[in-house]
Amino acid sequence: MHLYLSGASPLHSTFSNEEGQVIYKVDSPIKLTNRTASIRRALPNDLFDGEDTHNRFAHLAQVEWRVVGPSTIRQGGEEIETKTFFRRGGWLGRNRIFTAPDGKEYRWKLGHRTSTLVTNDAEKKRVARFHPKHYIINPRPASFEIYPGGEDIMDTIFITFIYVEKIRKDKE
């Protein structure tokens, strides 16, 4: 699934599919300390029995980056510290490794301008990738791509992407 961002920043954009339907909305006001991203997801059309489902969204998660103390992810009434959910890996601990609800380990590889999610095994199969906005050569909007192997854990991939993208951007 390819999701296109309404702006250049994943931390403050809507994410729409190829047909233009908004799937996720992320809002994270810029603050000097403790920035929080609110993530909402489009509700399935079959919940509304033929009603207009445009602009029907439910709270999915919040990610809070703290200046002092561990950052947190809140989802489904639970709160988990990111230092518990993720472990560091790779060159200088730049990557983030986590176990998804499917029981498999995944690794966010934080590159210079992009983040890529791969399975954390010998195969290192690509699961998701952020494509930054191109302005001059071959202009295109920013997009986030979830490959077929990741669609079953799409919400987890998306929430973790929002978390690691701020980490990656701060290290640029």
Side-chain angles (χ1 to χ4, degrees):
M1 174 180 281
H2 218 118
L3 300 174
Y4 297 90
L5 283 70
S6 60
S9 172
L11 300 180
H12 190 76
S13 283
T14 60
F15 292 74
S16 302
N17 64 15
E18 292 89 350
E19 292 80 37
Q21 179 186 8
V22 177
I23 306 297
Y24 294 103
K25 291 183 178 185
V26 179
D27 183 41
S28 58
I30 295 173
K31 295 169 67 177
L32 294 176
T33 62
N34 297 355
R35 187 171 183 181
T36 300
S38 296
I39 304 169
R40 294 178 289 157
R41 187 186 206 294
L43 293 170
N45 290 336
D46 58 353
L47 290 179
F48 299 103
D49 210 20
E51 293 178 42
D52 177 22
T53 59
H54 189 69
N55 295 329
R56 300 234 186 197
F57 290 85
H59 172 78
L60 177 62
Q62 278 189 320
V63 178
E64 183 178 1
W65 297 273
R66 295 185 180 143
V67 175
V68 178
S71 297
T72 58
I73 297 174
R74 288 188 281 288
Q75 181 186 14
E78 294 183 26
E79 181 173 310
I80 187 163
E81 293 181 348
T82 55
K83 70 178 185 178
T84 303
F85 186 74
F86 293 99
R87 73 177 195 274
R88 292 174 182 241
W91 178 252
L92 299 175
R94 187 165 167 88
N95 299 333
R96 298 296 186 273
I97 301 165
F98 69 97
T99 302
D102 64 2
K104 297 178 185 171
E105 267 198 354
Y106 296 90
R107 174 185 298 256
W108 276 109
K109 297 168 85 174
L110 307 183
H112 173 63
R113 289 189 27 106
T114 189
S115 303
T116 303
L117 182 67
V118 297
T119 55
N120 194 38
D121 56 17
E123 188 178 358
K124 302 210 179 319
K125 182 179 174 185
R126 187 179 287 177
V127 180
R129 182 165 187 216
F130 174 59
H131 303 275
K133 183 174 183 168
H134 285 215
Y135 293 94
I136 299 170
I137 300 173
N138 297 324
R140 69 169 192 235
S143 65
F144 182 62
E145 189 171 7
I146 299 175
Y147 297 93
E151 290 177 349
D152 290 342
I153 56 166
M154 192 165 99
D155 287 344
T156 300
I157 290 171
F158 191 79
I159 294 165
T160 59
F161 164 65
I162 297 301
Y163 171 74
V164 300
E165 186 57 20
K166 180 175 183 311
I167 303 297
R168 185 198 65 75
K169 193 81 170 149
D170 287 351
K171 292 182 184 286
E172 272 188 350

